[in-house]
Amino acid sequence: MKRLVCICLIALASLIFASACDDHIEVQQNYDFALGTWHLPEDIKPDELVEIRFTLRRQGDFKGAKYHFGYIQTQGAGQVLDAAANRLVNRESVELPAIVGFNDSDPYNLSFTLFYQSLSDEKSEVVFFVIDNFGLKRDLTVSFDTVSRE
């Protein structure tokens, strides 16, 4: 009788372990991310260059993830430059690693620095955006009040 109970318990345990196994491995490829900057001034003068340090904070690291960066000037007039003074084009995106000074040494916190130069006496507003290859998009709106040149 003990032998029969033991055999039944072993059979039951085998069924439980066999049903718990799953041959399908799920690999998460798309992770959420956020785009942020360091503190920025509220006021700038026309023609003044303002340094904008960006950080792309990722919740995971998928080696196949690709990011494109761009901006849209929604108010005022200005230009965005990278660290080598290359001008980025309004309403066009570039691959994030193509930006001069792009730093991916920490895969969860990608960083890069751009410069904004106001070209008018009006208030400037710029929407920066990042889109990954899975279609996830994050926007960051930056605005500067313009002060007189004096």
Side-chain angles (χ1 to χ4, degrees), residues 15-145:
L15 284 173
I16 291 172
F17 287 125
S19 66
C21 293
D22 186 359
D23 290 342
H24 301 289
I25 298 174
E26 291 187 31
V27 177
Q28 185 172 350
Q29 297 177 343
N30 57 336
Y31 290 95
D32 197 9
F33 61 91
L35 181 64
T37 65
W38 290 21
H39 175 75
L40 296 172
E42 293 179 12
D43 301 324
I44 61 172
K45 296 176 185 167
D47 297 323
E48 178 182 0
L49 273 177
V50 177
E51 180 181 19
I52 306 174
R53 294 185 186 183
F54 290 94
T55 303
L56 182 74
R57 292 180 189 87
R58 306 190 307 172
Q59 291 184 352
D61 180 21
F62 173 61
K63 299 293 183 210
K66 296 189 185 313
Y67 299 92
H68 282 79
F69 178 86
Y71 78 96
I72 300 170
Q73 179 92 40
T74 57
Q75 190 173 355
Q79 63 181 356
V80 177
L81 309 167
D82 67 13
N86 298 314
R87 186 174 166 268
L88 278 69
V89 179
N90 186 18
R91 300 185 184 274
E92 290 187 13
S93 65
V94 297
E95 284 193 37
L96 202 51
I99 295 175
V100 174
F102 175 71
N103 182 350
D104 62 353
S105 60
D106 178 352
Y108 294 96
N109 293 299
L110 309 176
S111 61
F112 55 101
T113 300
L114 296 175
F115 298 88
Y116 177 76
Q117 183 178 28
S118 175
L119 300 176
S120 73
D121 293 336
E122 299 176 26
K123 176 180 179 170
S124 296
E125 185 174 273
V126 182
V127 178
F128 295 100
F129 62 87
V130 174
I131 303 172
D132 71 5
N133 54 325
F134 298 101
L136 186 59
K137 180 180 178 187
R138 295 291 177 253
D139 295 334
L140 177 70
T141 302
V142 173
S143 60
F144 302 104
D145 288 325

